[in-house]
Amino acid sequence: FEERPYLTPALIDVTDVKDRPDEEIFGPVLQIIRVKDFDAAQATAQALIAANPGDARGLHVLSLILQDKGDTKGAERALRDLIARDPMDANALNSLGYMLAERRDRLDEAVTLLQRALKIEPGNPSYLDSLGWAYFQQGRLDLADPALTEAADKLKDNSVVQDHLGDLRFKQRPDALDFYLVRARLRVLQEVSNQGWLDLLEYFNGQLKLRTASTDVAAHYGAALAALKLNKPDLAFENALAARRLTTA
């Protein structure tokens, strides 16, 4: 009993519940409301905001929905509203800073927002990734390196974070094999179809023909592929990291 958690995470579908109470539930429980499309999701979020105007959660949800809809201006307004209400809302600061960085829009402001988020939550790997990515978009690779490296080390299974580090390494050293290793590995871990595996094998073989890697790097490269084919992601990642160390030594 002592080795088991006292609380088990849970999802509660409250779509068909009438007069849903806005209650905090003690425990890792998430309420889900299913909707048919983004417009319905936006309407639901706006209804929640209208019913609870002082609750920041509704605006956070609305900003995410608007981003998914491609309404970046609307998402930006929601995030700026959140920051105006609470300048210490690190999540909102990070979301707005990252959104600007992704669009390569007002990058100086993006950096400032993300630095503020990290002052509130020092060492947060998601925020570090956002700041490093903003620096990368500015072309300040020396500043991007420590932030993206730390973020990637802490979030090894996050494909976006690993892609950001791969982009940085490619900029720093265009012939670095690790750029392709990291991206291909993550594609394999997320792929479930046979065709996807075949496409990835073709990708690896193509890169091996194009690059001038040492025998050791190529061996680790092939070992990573074999481990992934055998559904042993830990072994694959170990070999991928070994190849990466050799190419960045």
Side-chain angles (χ1 to χ4, degrees):
F1 176 77
E2 293 180 356
E3 296 180 356
R4 297 182 179 181
Y6 288 101
L7 298 172
T8 300
L11 300 175
I12 300 179
D13 189 337
V14 297
T15 303
D16 298 324
V17 177
K18 295 182 179 180
D19 301 321
R20 292 184 291 268
D22 182 26
E23 296 178 346
E24 291 285 351
I25 301 175
F26 182 74
V29 178
L30 179 66
Q31 298 184 44
I32 294 178
I33 303 172
R34 286 180 284 108
V35 293
K36 62 180 182 179
D37 53 32
F38 283 126
D39 289 337
Q42 181 177 344
T44 300
Q46 289 170 331
L48 292 172
I49 293 169
N52 303 278
D55 192 333
R57 291 175 299 172
L59 271 175
H60 274 290
V61 172
L62 179 61
S63 72
L64 293 172
I65 293 169
L66 293 173
Q67 288 184 62
D68 286 340
K69 284 184 67 176
D71 183 1
T72 54
K73 290 183 178 179
E76 182 176 336
R77 283 194 300 270
L79 291 169
R80 289 194 185 280
D81 191 359
L82 282 165
I83 295 168
R85 294 184 184 194
D86 181 8
M88 299 294 287
D89 189 334
N91 189 13
L93 290 165
N94 176 67
S95 295
L96 180 56
Y98 182 74
M99 187 173 70
L100 294 176
E102 272 287 273
R103 292 157 48 191
R104 297 186 180 180
D105 182 19
R106 289 162 283 171
L107 290 173
D108 289 343
E109 182 185 6
V111 167
T112 299
L113 290 165
L114 297 165
Q115 288 173 334
R116 287 172 58 188
L118 280 163
K119 284 183 180 179
I120 298 166
E121 295 185 27
N124 184 305
S126 295
Y127 301 172
L128 284 168
D129 172 69
S130 298
L131 179 60
W133 190 240
Y135 282 140
F136 177 87
Q137 299 284 53
Q138 288 181 319
R140 302 163 75 183
L141 304 188
D142 57 328
L143 295 177
D145 196 328
L148 291 178
T149 299
E150 183 176 346
D153 185 59
K154 292 179 176 179
L155 299 173
K156 290 183 172 65
D157 293 323
N158 186 305
S159 61
V160 173
V161 172
Q162 297 297 330
D163 267 357
H164 287 167
L165 181 62
D167 286 340
L168 173 67
R169 293 288 180 257
F170 185 64
K171 280 282 188 180
Q172 291 173 323
R173 184 180 171 189
D175 63 342
L177 187 60
D178 66 331
F179 170 74
Y180 300 97
L181 262 173
V182 172
R183 282 195 165 179
R185 169 193 167 263
L186 288 162
R187 290 192 184 108
V188 172
L189 290 179
Q190 295 170 352
E191 185 56 63
V192 295
S193 68
N194 287 334
Q195 186 58 50
W197 283 94
L198 291 172
D199 291 343
L200 187 60
L201 282 172
E202 183 178 353
Y203 170 82
F204 267 110
N205 290 329
Q207 294 305 318
L208 281 170
K209 293 176 182 177
L210 293 172
R211 303 291 164 181
T212 56
S214 68
T215 302
D216 287 344
V217 173
H220 283 299
Y221 204 74
L225 266 178
L228 288 169
K229 290 280 288 180
L230 294 169
N231 196 28
K232 296 182 178 181
D234 290 341
L235 179 60
F237 189 44
E238 177 184 336
N239 277 281
L241 284 179
R244 176 179 171 184
R245 282 192 289 269
L246 288 170
T247 57
T248 57

